[in-house]
Every structure is written in C-alpha cells, then in structure tokens.
Amino acid sequence: MPTLAAAAAPVLAHQSTLRESNLAVVLRCVCASPEPVSRAGVASATGLTRSTVSRLVDELVAGGLVDEGTARLAGPGRPATPLRPARRICAVGLQVNAAHVAARLIDLRGEVVAESRSEPDLVGSDPARALGLLGGHLAEVLPAAPEHGRIVGAGLALPGVVDASGERLLRAPNLDWRDVEPVAGLRGQLHDIPLTLGNEANLGAHAFAQPAPGRRGRSSHFVYVSGEIGIGGAVVTDSLVQSGLHGFAGEIGHMPFRPGGDPCPCGSDGCLERYAGRLAMTRRAGLPPSTTLAELGQRAEEGHAGSREAIELAAEALGVVLAGVVNLLDVPTIVLGGEIGDLAPRIAPVVEARVRARVMAAGWMPLEVCQDPDDVAGATGGALVHLTQVVTSPAVVLAAGGGEAC
Amino acid sequence: MPTLAAAAAPVLAHQSTLRESNLAVVLRCVCASPEPVSRAGVASATGLTRSTVSRLVDELVAGGLVDEGTARLAGPGRPATPLRPARRICAVGLQVNAAHVAARLIDLRGEVVAESRSEPDLVGSDPARALGLLGGHLAEVLPAAPEHGRIVGAGLALPGVVDASGERLLRAPNLDWRDVEPVAGLRGQLHDIPLTLGNEANLGAHAFAQPAPGRRGRSSHFVYVSGEIGIGGAVVTDSLVQSGLHGFAGEIGHMPFRPGGDPCPCGSDGCLERYAGRLAMTRRAGLPPSTTLAELGQRAEEGHAGSREAIELAAEALGVVLAGVVNLLDVPTIVLGGEIGDLAPRIAPVVEARVRARVMAAGWMPLEVCQDPDDVAGATGGALVHLTQVVTSPAVVLAAGGGEAC
DNA sequence: CGAGATAGTTTTGGGACACAACCAATGGAG
DNA sequence: CTCCATTGGTTGTGTCCCAAAACTATCTCG
C-alpha cells in the first residue's frame, strides 16, 4: 500500500553494506531485549538463519560489543548461551543548564555506571567557570569506566541553539552565553573522546524515546516539553527526534499563546514561555525568581493564591499551545520534562483536558500527558545518542578496533 | 558524527534485498535527472560499477520501467544510449473538494498525460453525486493511457481526515461528509487499480516536495498551507510528508491564533481558520460566501475596505501561527497552496515579515514564503504517491509483471 | 537411560557485485 | 582519409555474504 512515508531515498548497497546492515540488525535485537537472548532467539526474531546469526554474533563478541554469559538459559533442549550488550562500551553524558551541572557514564545496556552532579546558579555565568565545574564532574566519572573499556563519545546538553555541526553553541538566553565552543575547554579531560553538543530538550526527548540504546520507549510519537527557566521542547516521530533542517527545531517556548501579549526577549510577544516558564510563573505568583517549580507547587498546595493562579495560567497556556502541536503533528503523547515535570502531577490532568477539548481528531486518537522522571535527561540523552550510534553502525566501532582501552 | 537522526531502525537484508535496493537506486537516478542519462552516467552518479548498472538497467528495461531511446547522446567517445523513465507506467490522481472535481493521469516522468475537471459546488453535497462526477472525469482520462501501458494505482485527495488504512474518509467538515468509503463507488471504472485516499493538503505537499517521481522539489523542509473554504496543511521534512501516527497530521487550520476568540465548529475557538479561511474572510469583508479569494483580492485591489481588512487580518494570523510552526520545526520555507495561493502575491511579503519578526533563529536561517501554482495539487500528489512507490520499490512492479496491458 | 527438543556449527551452494579485460563507436588530429 | 584517443557498454572471473541442510551438543522429560 503506497504511503507518504515510503519515499525515503535508498542508498547504494555493496555486499559489505549488507553485512553491516545485518550486524546492526543483530546488535539491535540483542540491545532491544531487556532479558538476555540466545543466538537462536535472535535468529527467530530477525528472520536471519541461525548460521548467519552465529557468524555475526561471533564477530560482535570478538569486537567486544556483545558479552557472552557463562550461565546457561534453561529450558527444554540444549541450553543457550545468553547474549547481552557489552558493559565495556560506554558513553559520557554531560549537561549544563541554569541550575544543573552533571556528568553521567552510561554503558551499552543503558545502565548508569557513574554519575556526578551539582546544582550551582549559572544564570548569566561565565562559560569558563561552568565548563570548569563540568570538567570536575567529568573527571570524577571517567575512572568508573570498566577495565579495557571503551568510551565511544560524549554528548553535552545545553539549553540553547546549537549549530548544525554540533560543535558550537550559538545562543543560550538563560545562561546568557553566545558563541561558545566547549570542546576546547574540555579537551584536557576528554583526550580523544569525540564531543558533540545538543539542545537539552532534543537530547532529553531522545532519551525518552530510546531509554536504552536500540530499545524503544513507551511512546514513539510525542512532543517533549522541557521546562526550566525558559521552555524548550522537541518533537519525536517514529522514535526519532525531529531536529529540523538546521537543528534549530523544538523552540516550543516561543510558540504564540497570546500574540500581542507579554513581550518576550526573543523579540516576539505572547510566547508560551511568558506564561509557563519558571521566571514568568514565579513573577506572577509574587515569589522570588529563584523559587523552584516544586516550591511553587508546594505554595499552591498550601493555598497561596498567586501560586495557584500562576499554575492555572501556565496549564491553560500549555494546553492551548500543545493542542496546536497535536493538531499539526498527530502526536498522541505529551511528555513534561525538566523542572516542569515536577508540576506534572498537578497540571497534567488540566493540560490533558485542555488539549482534548481543542484537538480535531481527539475522538479518534488516544491522548496522554505524562512526566519524564529523569531530572538530567539531557545528559542521559547526550550519552545515549553516541551509544545509539554504535547500535546503528556497529561496523564503525569494530573497524576502529573495539579493543582499545580507555 | 553521531546525530539524532541517525537512529532509524535497520531492516533485515538478504541478497535479494541488495538487488532490490540497487534497482531502486538506479531507477531513482534515471528519474531524478531531467535530462536522459546513459548507463555510464548512472554508474558515475551512483558509485556502482558500469557492469552492475548495465545488468540492473537491462532488468528495468525488460520490465518496462525504463525506456531506451533510439537517438544517441553526442559527445566525445562512443555515443550513449539515452535512458528515460518509461511513459507506459502511469498513475491516476483524483481530487474532490468543495469547489473542484478532477482526474489526472500522470506518467513515470511526472508529465500529465490527460486531465479532466469541473468546478461544481459540493458544499454539503451527497457523496454519491460527487463520486459520480469524479467517475465521469476518471472515465475520460483512462483511455489516454498509452497502449500496453500499466496504471499502477490511483490516489484520491479529499479535504478531510482519512483513516490510517487509506480506505475511509472519517470526516470532511466542508463537504459535510462522514464515514465515506469511495472505493466501492468507483470500482466500476477502476477495475483492479488500487485506490488510496489521502488528505488533500498532505498530497499537495507531497507533489510540491517531489514534483516528479524520485525528483526533489525546490525545498526539502517546508510547511504547506492549503487554503480553500477551510485551511489544511502539511509538514514536510527531508522531502517526506509527516503524516503522524494515525495519519491525522496537518490540521494547521485549527492551531490557535486567538484562543478565546471566534468559536470554531471544531469545538475550539480562535483557530487560524476563523481568520484566514475563505469563509471567515468573505464574511469579514461583507461579501457572499461564494466569493473566491481571487475575487476578494481583486476587490481589495479596487479599494474595498472590508476586503483589505480581511486580508490583513488573515496575513497577520498566518504570520503568527506559521512563526510558531517554524520555531517548532525549523522549516525555512512556507508554501501557500490551493485557493489561498491566489492571494500569495499580495500576502506573501506580509506573512514573511511577520514570521521573520517572531522566529527565534531568524538570524541564522533563510525564510521564504512561496506559492504552489498547481490548483489541483491534491490530485497530482495522489498520482505521484503511487509513482514514487514504483521508484522506491521497482522490484514489486517487476515481479507483478510490468507487461500487463491496462 | 533413551527419546525428543532445542542450540549452535559446519558444509555446500547460489546470488550479487567488484574488477579487469575487451569490444564498439564516434570525434578529432594530422 | 586514416589513425588514435576517448568514452560507452559487455563479458568473464573472483570474492563476499547469506540460505539451506546436515550434523553435533546438551538438556528435559518420561
């Protein structure tokens, strides 16, 4: 059946492409399963023959991408050797935003091997100072890498616009940074580990879409709202983050809620961020700007009228804007992440009701508003992007000699 | 360099997959070029060897998907035999909306072989009557298929929500249709040609993204606005229409412009359509609802104050809403299609200025508002979807025996 | 303890592409 | 007009990769 989506451009295929593709199929199958699987299990899951799977798995084991367990999987018939993603393959996730600095080491199983973080106030900070802090956390985390391990990359999540090459931060309004290239500042700790930059919300969304390398999350089509001081966002379709032609996609905080309303530093007015961003909400509630959204929720709980009104207006604004997004993109799930996730138990039902009332196809589709519990989702996503890359193109890692120690 | 987009799931590959993939590569190369190409040209463009290309081309020629010309391509060295997409492969594009009924026959070169159309008023019409009209146009167009030709499919564009299977129209507010299955009504004319349904704006956007099968249009990332009585839309990223999880994506007409404003039959209020849809504009201008947008533009030209105001408000609304879309998705191009395209010369500069003023990354990205000149773009897209499918999976057509006459 | 079942390996075969040598046909230099 | 350089296209050989089937290994169940 012809569909609009079936038109992706094919790529030239050699025979080696075939092997690379099937290596990826096998590795993904191993990674996708939460339980260890056998060679035969991979074969029946993928449709490849047992002999082919065996050869590909041997190659992955030799390259250090897959671990063969010693215990056997019981059951009738010959017991199977369990296969799991290798622990020795790791990636680093880094995050700097106005309130967090964090470093995480995550392995190919998607497990957090080590973590180091702090909560300084970095509004209007000097990039060098922040990167110094980050370097400290990084240095704490790196030694946790397994012996003979290999760190395939590092991903740094930043609350701003990153250029397409993934090397330069163009602008981060809430940090008041412009044109920062963090690679240089971190080279000392990173040695030869490649560092890529990404927008915090985009990376958080990636982590929610694929909570472990090669594994699908609970939703494949969603819009992710990352609320901190401002509001970022990301659109995920078919488990892939839509980052746009230049990588600038996701500025949901600057979609219009009340055009002609509150002026916004972005140059526009009535932006969502002016109603549902932390700064706007605390100001409306009559609380100091350093108040966290969790505290704001607490105050509302206690009956503080200003806080209640601020939260109600924020939920209204989110509902209106997100309904527009759902109408435009047919995404049945809305994920609240970052600090605004802390308000989710309070506002999710309201947002959901508002959205449902304004969505054309609400009668034919499910709708759900949920929370991303990871409070450094950007860092998690930064590591997972590199690990997902390994699952997608295992041949690259194999060729690079998976045996290098770190 | 790891990117967010690189995570697409690989598919099991046999050796036959390899051949199918390379067949598609070769056919796409032939189709993508506006000029005839030689086997050697395909080889150098794709990276395949001349021998491999030769074998694949022979197969495509034998299957009737590619024509070998008799004239020779001049130049130094041995003259080449020119290759072109076969004329005998065709698809039918159909369209029904409130003001148009049309049928088009398009061949694998993307050329319109035959067309038949009428402009009845179908607001609140009986589906059977409209489908009867459509059947008439279809019957006029089918005999134009080349001798021994093969019609690979038919695509019907409708101004409403189509279910995921592409067989049922769930709701078309402007026609006042619900739960219509046009396949049955057209089976008489269609014989065994498979019919798929699609949203008019989605199909129009597809035609703009890929004006001929396998050929890329002037823009790969854009938002398409199809303005008729109401307003539909579509989002295209990387030359692919984003149709959403259930195929409902693109309801840009019901994104919020002034939440709390004009109530909309969709159940919401302040929707874009209430300010930039034809019905809303004519009412505001104080003209009869049957006034076309071209006429409205004419009246404004002549100094009619109501028309001017209506157009200004529509441009304002489009600017605000589209700026939000650009912020969300980082699409540098906005395409005005359908009837609202007739107003493009008048409103495009205003819309562009409004958008530019509200887009965060406007300083780092180009922005352009342009017009889709095709006034039955939905029909064109309906046919192109099927033809694009042939380019993407030529093996399917070859296996089905391309030799069947129609 | 043996039969059945399941896991994994080895062997053989076929399909597809790369490579290289070869044939074909034209334009241009002399 | 002849010859040669140049490019287009074909043919034959080798290599890579997967499928199919036969074979071995090891456990569970009766």
Side-chain angles (χ1 to χ4, degrees):
Chain A
M1 180 195 61
T3 59
L4 290 164
V11 186
L12 161 76
H14 306 253
Q15 263 138 319
S16 57
T17 321
L18 197 70
R19 209 199 67 226
E20 285 167 24
S21 168
N22 281 341
L23 268 176
V25 168
V26 169
L27 181 55
R28 174 173 300 260
C29 183
V30 170
C31 287
S33 163
E35 304 302 318
V37 287
S38 66
R39 287 166 166 78
V42 172
S44 69
T46 60
L48 292 160
T49 60
R50 292 205 308 270
S51 60
T52 303
V53 169
S54 228
R55 196 165 23 80
L56 294 170
V57 166
D58 288 347
E59 199 166 340
L60 291 170
V61 170
L65 294 183
V66 166
D67 283 345
E68 265 184 320
T70 49
R72 300 290 152 127
L73 296 174
R78 174 177 171 175
T81 48
L83 304 173
R84 303 204 60 186
R87 274 238 160 82
R88 56 184 287 280
I89 303 289
C90 294
V92 174
L94 303 168
Q95 179 160 9
V96 174
N97 66 24
H100 299 88
V101 178
R104 276 189 156 175
L105 190 68
I106 298 183
D107 67 20
L108 198 53
R109 296 185 190 176
E111 286 169 16
V112 177
V113 177
E115 175 173 318
S116 173
R117 53 196 287 184
S118 56
E119 267 93 37
D121 180 3
L122 294 177
V123 176
S125 66
D126 176 22
R129 184 186 141 228
L131 293 176
L133 277 173
L134 184 65
H137 292 303
L138 179 57
E140 272 190 47
V141 143
L142 283 180
E147 191 117 12
H148 306 301
R150 184 172 141 82
I151 297 179
V152 295
L156 169 55
L158 293 167
V161 180
V162 171
D163 83 338
S165 74
E167 289 175 357
R168 227 175 58 174
L169 175 74
L170 297 176
R171 188 176 161 198
N174 296 322
L175 297 173
D176 198 23
W177 291 8
R178 271 169 190 278
D179 275 319
V180 178
E181 294 203 30
V183 182
L186 294 171
R187 190 160 291 149
Q189 273 93 32
L190 279 174
H191 307 290
D192 290 332
I193 302 171
L195 175 69
T196 56
L197 271 50
N199 173 272
E200 172 181 296
N202 282 17
L203 292 176
H206 179 83
F208 195 85
Q210 306 194 31
R215 197 175 305 167
R216 297 278 165 124
R218 53 189 279 197
S219 184
S220 63
H221 287 68
F222 61 88
V223 51
Y224 188 92
V225 179
S226 171
E228 303 279 347
I229 291 188
I231 289 191
V235 172
V236 172
T237 55
D238 207 19
S239 299
L240 296 177
V241 176
Q242 295 290 325
S243 47
L245 183 57
H246 316 89
F248 302 159
E251 292 295 348
I252 198 174
H254 298 279
M255 293 187 79
F257 167 54
R258 285 185 181 162
D262 270 22
C264 181
C266 79
S268 186
D269 47 49
C271 299
L272 171 63
E273 187 168 303
R274 302 301 299 166
Y275 302 87
R278 185 177 99 184
L279 223 53
M281 290 174 74
T282 51
R283 193 174 49 74
R284 239 183 218 97
L287 298 172
S290 60
T291 314
T292 66
L293 290 182
E295 287 162 1
L296 190 79
Q298 185 58 36
R299 294 297 301 270
E301 201 79 38
E302 294 162 10
H304 183 247
S307 299
R308 287 205 160 168
E309 281 160 27
I311 289 177
E312 266 166 38
L313 182 59
E316 169 75 19
L318 284 167
V320 167
V321 170
L322 290 171
V325 175
V326 173
N327 271 325
L328 182 67
L329 296 168
D330 179 22
V331 287
T333 307
I334 292 162
V335 181
L336 302 177
E339 234 189 283
I340 211 169
D342 297 340
L343 286 181
R346 201 176 178 78
I347 63 173
V350 185
V351 173
E352 188 177 321
R354 289 276 187 289
V355 169
R356 202 178 287 281
R358 303 187 73 98
V359 165
M360 274 278 279
W364 293 288
M365 64 192 276
L367 270 173
E368 180 199 18
V369 179
C370 62
Q371 175 185 3
D372 183 1
D374 186 348
D375 64 346
V376 288
T380 308
L384 283 175
V385 164
H386 285 269
L387 292 169
T388 302
Q389 183 71 21
V390 172
V391 175
T392 308
S393 314
V396 175
V397 180
L398 292 178
E404 294 165 24
C406 147
Chain B
M1 179 194 60
T3 59
L4 290 165
V11 185
L12 160 75
H14 306 253
Q15 263 141 316
S16 58
T17 321
L18 196 70
R19 210 201 61 221
E20 285 167 23
S21 169
N22 281 342
L23 268 177
V25 168
V26 169
L27 181 55
R28 176 174 298 261
C29 183
V30 171
C31 287
S33 163
E35 304 301 318
V37 286
S38 66
R39 287 167 167 80
V42 172
S44 69
T46 60
L48 291 160
T49 60
R50 290 204 310 261
S51 58
T52 303
V53 169
S54 228
R55 196 163 27 76
L56 294 171
V57 166
D58 288 346
E59 200 165 340
L60 291 170
V61 169
L65 294 182
V66 166
D67 284 343
E68 265 184 319
T70 49
R72 301 287 152 129
L73 297 174
R78 172 176 172 176
T81 50
L83 303 173
R84 305 203 60 184
R87 275 237 161 84
R88 59 184 284 281
I89 303 290
C90 295
V92 175
L94 302 169
Q95 179 160 9
V96 174
N97 66 26
H100 298 90
V101 178
R104 276 190 157 176
L105 190 68
I106 300 184
D107 66 20
L108 198 53
R109 297 185 190 176
E111 287 169 16
V112 177
V113 177
E115 176 173 317
S116 172
R117 54 196 286 184
S118 56
E119 267 93 37
D121 180 3
L122 294 177
V123 176
S125 65
D126 175 23
R129 186 185 139 226
L131 293 176
L133 277 173
L134 184 65
H137 292 304
L138 179 57
E140 270 188 47
V141 144
L142 283 180
E147 190 117 14
H148 305 300
R150 184 171 141 82
I151 297 179
V152 295
L156 169 56
L158 293 167
V161 180
V162 172
D163 84 338
S165 73
E167 289 176 357
R168 227 175 57 177
L169 175 73
L170 297 176
R171 187 177 160 198
N174 296 321
L175 297 173
D176 198 24
W177 290 8
R178 273 170 188 278
D179 275 319
V180 178
E181 294 202 31
V183 182
L186 294 171
R187 191 161 288 147
Q189 274 92 35
L190 280 174
H191 306 290
D192 291 331
I193 303 170
L195 175 70
T196 56
L197 269 51
N199 173 273
E200 171 183 296
N202 282 17
L203 293 176
H206 178 84
F208 195 85
Q210 307 194 29
R215 196 175 305 167
R216 297 278 164 124
R218 52 189 282 196
S219 184
S220 63
H221 287 68
F222 61 88
V223 50
Y224 188 92
V225 179
S226 171
E228 305 278 348
I229 291 187
I231 290 192
V235 172
V236 172
T237 55
D238 207 18
S239 298
L240 295 178
V241 176
Q242 296 289 326
S243 46
L245 184 55
H246 316 90
F248 302 159
E251 292 294 347
I252 197 174
H254 299 278
M255 293 187 77
F257 167 55
R258 285 185 182 161
D262 270 19
C264 181
C266 79
S268 186
D269 47 49
C271 299
L272 172 63
E273 187 168 302
R274 303 300 300 164
Y275 302 87
R278 187 177 96 184
L279 223 52
M281 289 174 74
T282 51
R283 194 174 49 72
R284 240 183 217 95
L287 297 173
S290 60
T291 313
T292 66
L293 290 181
E295 288 162 0
L296 190 79
Q298 186 57 38
R299 294 298 300 269
E301 201 80 38
E302 294 162 10
H304 183 247
S307 300
R308 286 203 161 168
E309 281 160 28
I311 290 176
E312 267 167 37
L313 182 59
E316 170 74 19
L318 283 167
V320 167
V321 170
L322 290 170
V325 174
V326 173
N327 271 326
L328 182 67
L329 296 168
D330 179 21
V331 286
T333 306
I334 292 162
V335 181
L336 302 178
E339 234 190 284
I340 211 169
D342 298 339
L343 285 181
R346 199 173 180 82
I347 64 173
V350 185
V351 174
E352 186 178 324
R354 289 277 187 290
V355 170
R356 203 178 287 279
R358 304 186 74 98
V359 166
M360 274 279 279
W364 293 289
M365 65 192 275
L367 270 174
E368 179 199 17
V369 178
C370 62
Q371 176 186 3
D372 182 1
D374 187 348
D375 63 347
V376 288
T380 308
L384 284 175
V385 163
H386 285 268
L387 293 168
T388 302
Q389 183 71 21
V390 172
V391 175
T392 308
S393 314
V396 175
V397 179
L398 292 179
E404 295 165 25
C406 144

